[in-house]
Amino acid sequence: KIVLYEGVIVDGRWLEYVAQSVLHLPANVVMVMMGQEKLKWRQVHAAEIKEALATGRLILARPVPHEELLDYVADADVGASTHLANVETHVSFRTRVLDYLWAGLPMVLTGGDTLSDGIAAAGLGVTVPPGDPSAIAAAIDRLIADPPDRRAISDYGRSFRWDRVAGPLLGFAAAPRRAADRAAVAWPAADRPAPDAAPAPAPVEEPVPAVDPLEAEMVRLARGAARRVSPRLRRLPPPVRRWGSRLLRR
């Protein structure tokens, strides 16, 4: 059985506890963490994940091209996504969870955001407290032993398609209207415009400076030089190449 985390491997996502959960799982369960490691995550948590790596059932894999990603997600048995319990999590919308939904993958998630709480309420995944490897393992065991219907998970994911979620915005763009409560807003006196305020003075137009003949001649010469050396621009250092290209466009 394969448990998959896909995404950036970095601090702040409780991934060291996801890794440790493999120690509480049966020998036929492999934990795959697929993504780009940042801020030396493996070195920072070396002591915490050493035992899990020694089992051979924790695999830290490199990211794959996005067009191949859903094939890996679809081959897994359980998806995992964990995060700190904070304000950022509360207002977040995790794109890896959308990948799990579209692939019909049962999920172990930390709660606290709209997406994970909705999935748990629909019976399509299990939420766990952050930082508890045994709770993560128990949830994985539960989903492997009694998985929800994967087609039901995919159907739930369709509610997050662009043509569905953008519907209210597109409807407003097609028929814009003022908010019903806008007229009742009491603006602070300091921000309220005076009823008989004098019109703002018209902007004063700055005179266009005369062209300096010497500068114009220098520009003309520079243009000619740039045209002559344009075939060689590619071999010049980037700042010089950009300067020459700008001259050619003037």
Side-chain angles (χ1 to χ4, degrees), residues 9 42 46 78 83 91 96 99 116 136 139 186 190 200-201 216 227 249:
I9 300 174
R42 193 187 312 220
V78 176
H83 291 272
V91 299
R96 79 179 57 82
D99 291 340
S116 62
I136 296 171
R227 289 191 184 94
R249 291 195 299 268

Side-chain angles (χ1 to χ4, degrees), residues 2-19:
I2 298 174
V3 182
L4 175 68
Y5 165 87
E6 57 100 344
V8 176
I9 300 174
V10 68
D11 269 342
R13 300 189 176 182
W14 294 113
L15 296 179
E16 61 272 27
Y17 299 107
V18 174

Side-chain angles (χ1 to χ4, degrees), residues 101-106 124 148-158:
L101 285 172
W102 291 331
L105 190 63
L124 306 175
D149 180 43
R150 296 189 70 145
R151 181 170 295 180
I153 299 173
S154 296
D155 290 343
Y156 185 84
R158 290 192 181 94

Side-chain angles (χ1 to χ4, degrees), residues 16 20 41-53:
E16 61 272 27
Q20 289 174 355
W41 182 86
R42 193 187 312 220
Q43 290 89 331
V44 170
H45 296 286
E48 295 163 285
I49 66 173
K50 179 179 179 181
E51 190 176 354
L53 285 170

Side-chain angles (χ1 to χ4, degrees), residues 97-169:
V97 176
L98 292 179
D99 291 340
Y100 298 162
L101 285 172
W102 291 331
L105 190 63
M107 287 158 277
V108 173
L109 311 166
T110 45
D113 62 274
T114 301
L115 196 53
S116 62
D117 291 346
I119 289 169
L124 306 175
V126 179
T127 54
V128 295
D132 189 341
S134 59
I136 296 171
I140 292 170
D141 263 333
R142 173 181 162 187
L143 290 173
I144 290 175
D146 185 20
D149 180 43
R150 296 189 70 145
R151 181 170 295 180
I153 299 173
S154 296
D155 290 343
Y156 185 84
R158 290 192 181 94
S159 63
F160 300 105
R161 290 173 59 95
W162 276 115
D163 56 356
R164 296 284 299 276
V165 298
L169 178 60

Side-chain angles (χ1 to χ4, degrees), residues 57 121 125 144 171 175 205 247:
R57 294 187 292 115
I144 290 175
E205 293 187 4
L247 283 175

